[in-house]
Amino acid sequence: MKLKDLAGQLALNVIQPQGNFDVVVSGGYTSDLLSDVMGNAKERNVWITCQTHENIVAVAKLKNLAAVILVNGRKPDDAALKKARDENVVIFSTPEPEFAITGVLYNLFKK
Amino acid sequence: MRTFRADLHVHTCLSPCAEVVQSPRNIAAAAKRRALDLVGVCDHNSAENTGAVAEAAGRVGIRALPGLEITSREEVHVLALFDEVESALGLQERVYAALAGENDPDVFGLQVVANADDEVVGFNRRFLAGAASLSLSDVVGAIHEFGGLAVAAHVDREGFGLVGQLGLIPDGLPLDALEISPRLTLEEGRRTFGPGWPLLSSSDAHAPDEVGRASTSFWLEEGTVREIGLALKGLGERRLLG
């Protein structure tokens, strides 16, 4: 599934649109510990988190993640937004909590 | 006894997220401009530039206190402050042993080791932006073991702040003080975190023009970590002035 299709299916709000929406998403990873994401997320995963610090962009870039989804309507910090724009890391926001959005995403990939 | 104005949380160009111009001499000059007496040098998980800043600051009559900003396993930032560079370097070895990985400068930034003349001595290759595999209580214990002060950094900030990461301040954690970021005044900090903790305000400067944008004043005999420790406890007439 391409990122643009996934964004539609999950009804995500695009916060930082600069980046590759045609990337084929490999799955998802949900975690709020950056070191855990660095250790365990897979390439082209979308990352679901409540962290908004600029280091989320560095981690997404380093792990070549497809995008970051911020939950509970959160917005990235200003520095994170700027860095994401510079580094072409797509950031979404959803009003849903982690549990709900992870469940929807899980079901998309289970099919 | 006299008043000492301290900015106890300043990064150098060794921190990957800091600007390269955040060099020992530029920090010293900025501290002088801001009329600080004391500067705490706290880079992420490393103390390798503390000696250089202490020397550069000493030349302009400012004391730089060697320290580190350690990232615990829970991704909580804790400041460690010392009187002696050797103590900071001793703790650094403990942190390095618990810190895996290598820095990618393109992603996280350069980690410049500099001397007191602002010359580049080398580049630190460790993953200083990472988390050490030490628990929060291990970190605080290690800081005390080396004779330092343990301060929970920017507790008002959600990312990497103690309260943001863990929800509350764990009972029985023997912190010496809490630090708030420049976003809050000390008054707001006290309202938020209660009167039970000594509260420090510092800049968390990553660039020269940020040095001293927040500070804490103490009533001390001399500008040392030992004296600050007394002031945090209100002992021997030493006081935290705010």
Side-chain angles (χ1 to χ4, degrees), chain A residues 7-21:
Chain A
Q9 298 247 23
L10 298 183
L12 301 173
N13 303 313
V14 183
I15 303 296
Q16 199 303 99
Q18 214 132 285
N20 182 8
F21 279 74

Side-chain angles (χ1 to χ4, degrees), chain A residues 88-108:
Chain A
N88 291 318
V89 171
V90 175
I91 298 180
F92 298 107
S93 180
T94 172
E96 301 292 338
E98 287 185 350
F99 177 76
I101 198 75
T102 301
V104 178
L105 183 65
Y106 182 83
N107 282 323
L108 278 182

Side-chain angles (χ1 to χ4, degrees), chain A residues 32-35 38 51-53 55 58-59 61-62 74 83 87, chain B residues 17 73-75 104 106-108 127 129 131 157-160 165:
Chain A
D32 298 321
L33 216 48
L34 277 69
S35 55
M38 287 188 61
Q51 291 282 9
T52 58
H53 188 270
N55 279 15
V59 170
K61 184 82 185 164
L62 193 77
R74 284 167 183 256
K83 190 164 178 170
E87 302 278 354
Chain B
C17 43
R73 192 167 66 197
E74 302 88 346
E75 298 186 350
D104 183 339
D106 291 334
V107 175
F108 287 95
F127 183 42
R157 263 185 42 194
E158 193 168 48
F160 300 109
Q165 292 293 117

Side-chain angles (χ1 to χ4, degrees), chain B residues 41-62:
Chain B
V41 183
C42 298
D43 280 310
H44 291 295
N45 295 313
S46 182
E48 288 185 39
N49 275 352
T50 57
V53 179
E55 193 183 333
R59 289 175 191 162
V60 295
I62 289 166

